[in-house]
Amino acid sequence: MSTATASAATAPAPVTTKAAKPPNPARTRLRGRLAQWGFIAPAVIFMALFFGYPLVRNVVMSFQDYSPSTFFTGRSPFNGTDNWSNVFNDELFGKALWHTILFTVGSLIGQFCVGLGLAVFFSRRFPLNGILRSLILLPWLVPMVVSGVVWRRILDQDTGVLNSFLGTVGLGDTPWLTSPGMALVSVVLVNIWIGIPFNMVILYGGLQEVPKELYEAASLDGASAWRTFRSITLPMLRPVITVVLVLGFMSTVKVLDLILALTDGGPADSTQTLGTLTYQNSFVQLDFGAGAVVGNILILISAVFAVFYLRANRNEGK
């Protein structure tokens, strides 16, 4: 009896463990959201400082009497919609808007058609494919100002290489940059030459993603090359075409340096666009309010085009 009592007294006490508390769902969600904001906060801050603030400042400036004296006095009184009415009543604004439409549409059509043709051409294997494809990228890599200066020398009516060649074959001299009827066409052609490599690269990458089995099936069904291109290639490239056109529009509608290098908006304002008009109002006439108005119009046109085009393309995809 004593032995049993002693063993019972020396037996270790049972160990009791505390039950783990279940995680608080609200706190878990809060931590997850804080982690998400921690990742995107640098991007939001960057966009707000370098895109949001200049945009808001430009909108405010379009309603102010902002002149060179403002830099010394700091005063830029609000003048309502005077800047907007002055811009819309200016005859040059209508010309610049029309020239911008012609320049943008002509450049996009030329760049896309030639770029797509080259992409289809280089999608086939042949000797020196990679070398030739790399050489075509050179116009895209050269700064636009440099391209403009070079092409201005090439298209010069008196000493240009192009007119010298045309003269040897008996076609005479052409006033590429000095004629109001030819200047805009020349600027569009140069811009097409610059934009072809970008279109070719993006479309070439999209062609590599098209399944080869589709082409094999079309060949077995006896489809012609045009039918295969229209029924397989173009539908499969639709998302890539959207990206090419939207990005091409964004970069073309605001082109400034190329036109300044080629014609400086002349002759007789025949190559004046919204981009050059913004420059002329702000930095030539020093009317910063009017320049801000034209700049805001350019931003609005780009935003509306991007929203409507992407929404239409998304609805077609559904």
Side-chain angles (χ1 to χ4, degrees):
M1 188 70 175
S2 60
T3 304
T5 303
S7 61
T10 57
V15 179
T16 59
T17 58
K18 295 182 179 180
K21 294 183 179 180
N24 190 344
R27 182 175 297 179
T28 302
R29 287 195 298 269
L30 178 61
R31 289 178 179 176
R33 291 181 179 178
L34 290 177
Q36 293 173 358
W37 277 105
F39 281 108
I40 67 174
V44 172
I45 294 174
F46 177 85
M47 293 291 290
L49 290 178
F50 295 98
F51 291 92
Y53 174 75
L55 179 61
V56 173
R57 191 70 188 89
N58 199 62
V59 173
V60 174
M61 189 184 299
S62 65
F63 296 97
Q64 292 177 321
D65 184 9
Y66 210 98
S67 61
S69 62
T70 304
F71 294 98
F72 302 97
T73 63
R75 298 178 181 177
S76 53
F78 282 88
N79 58 3
T81 59
D82 289 348
N83 293 329
W84 292 82
S85 60
N86 292 336
V87 168
F88 287 134
N89 292 329
D90 187 3
E91 183 180 355
L92 185 57
F93 174 77
K95 293 182 179 180
L97 180 60
W98 175 241
H99 295 159
T100 302
I101 295 174
L102 294 178
F103 176 77
T104 304
V105 173
S107 297
L108 287 181
I109 293 175
Q111 293 172 358
F112 176 78
C113 292
V114 178
L116 180 59
L118 289 175
V120 173
F121 175 74
F122 283 110
S123 62
R124 303 177 180 180
R125 296 182 179 275
F126 59 89
L128 303 179
N129 183 307
I131 296 177
L132 293 177
R133 201 165 67 243
S134 301
L135 292 176
I136 293 179
L137 293 178
L138 291 178
W140 189 30
L141 302 177
V142 177
M144 194 168 291
V145 174
V146 177
S147 299
V149 172
V150 172
W151 274 102
R152 184 168 185 171
R153 296 286 298 175
I154 294 175
L155 299 176
D156 187 86
Q157 183 177 358
D158 299 324
T159 61
V161 176
L162 183 56
N163 274 344
S164 298
F165 171 75
L166 294 177
T168 57
V169 296
L171 296 180
D173 294 341
T174 302
W176 298 102
L177 301 177
T178 56
S179 170
M182 285 296 302
L184 185 60
V185 176
S186 302
V187 173
V188 170
L189 292 176
V190 174
N191 193 58
I192 290 175
W193 177 81
I194 293 174
I196 286 174
F198 171 77
N199 286 257
M200 186 199 69
V201 169
I202 303 299
L203 294 171
Y204 176 82
L207 286 174
Q208 304 309 304
E209 300 299 325
V210 179
K212 305 301 181 184
E213 294 80 6
L214 297 178
Y215 293 114
E216 295 175 359
S219 177
L220 293 176
D221 291 339
S224 62
W226 170 245
R227 181 62 184 273
T228 302
F229 177 79
R230 185 166 55 91
S231 302
I232 297 178
T233 304
L234 282 181
M236 296 298 293
L237 281 180
R238 182 171 297 174
V240 180
I241 292 174
T242 300
V243 174
V244 168
L245 292 180
V246 171
L247 294 181
F249 180 88
M250 298 297 183
S251 61
T252 304
V253 75
K254 60 181 179 61
V255 165
L256 169 65
D257 42 5
L258 177 65
I259 300 177
L260 291 181
L262 285 172
T263 62
D264 197 20
D269 296 323
S270 60
T271 57
Q272 198 78 252
T273 62
L274 293 181
T276 59
L277 185 60
T278 304
Y279 172 82
Q280 181 177 350
N281 286 335
S282 297
F283 302 106
V284 178
Q285 300 178 1
L286 300 181
D287 189 353
F288 300 102
V293 170
V294 183
N296 290 329
I297 294 173
L298 270 176
I299 296 173
L300 183 62
I301 291 173
S302 301
V304 170
F305 177 86
V307 170
F308 277 94
Y309 192 87
L310 291 176
R311 180 171 296 180
N313 189 268
R314 182 177 57 186
N315 292 337
E316 289 179 3
K318 293 180 180 179

